[in-house]
Amino acid sequence: SLRVKDVTRPVSWTVLARQSGNTLTATADTDIKFSQFNMTPPTVPIATVRDDIHLQVVLVAREPAS
């Protein structure tokens, strides 16, 4: 679930994780819409803003050196 501005909706994430040595890197992606969270796309004079939003979260974890 994802909560934005007091609205909670179920969201599915696609996650890719890789380990290299003592480092773990994970990337999670999902696509949502402003309208799913009762929001309107912002108005920007120099661009067109659509209802679609792509979210990406990147996590990097390293084991401490001993």
Side-chain angles (χ1 to χ4, degrees):
S1 294
L2 180 65
R3 184 175 179 88
V4 179
K5 296 189 72 165
D6 296 327
V7 177
T8 302
R9 297 280 184 257
V11 173
S12 295
W13 295 82
T14 301
V15 180
L16 174 65
R18 282 187 228 148
Q19 183 177 358
S20 177
N22 69 341
T23 302
L24 174 68
T25 304
T27 304
D29 291 273
T30 192
D31 293 297
I32 62 171
K33 295 184 180 291
F34 279 104
S35 57
Q36 289 176 295
F37 295 90
N38 299 331
M39 298 186 308
T40 55
T43 304
V44 181
I46 59 171
T48 301
V49 180
R50 296 185 177 180
D51 193 32
D52 304 301
I53 303 170
H54 179 79
L55 297 175
Q56 184 177 72
V57 177
V58 178
L59 168 75
V60 178
R62 289 190 181 94
E63 185 176 355
S66 48

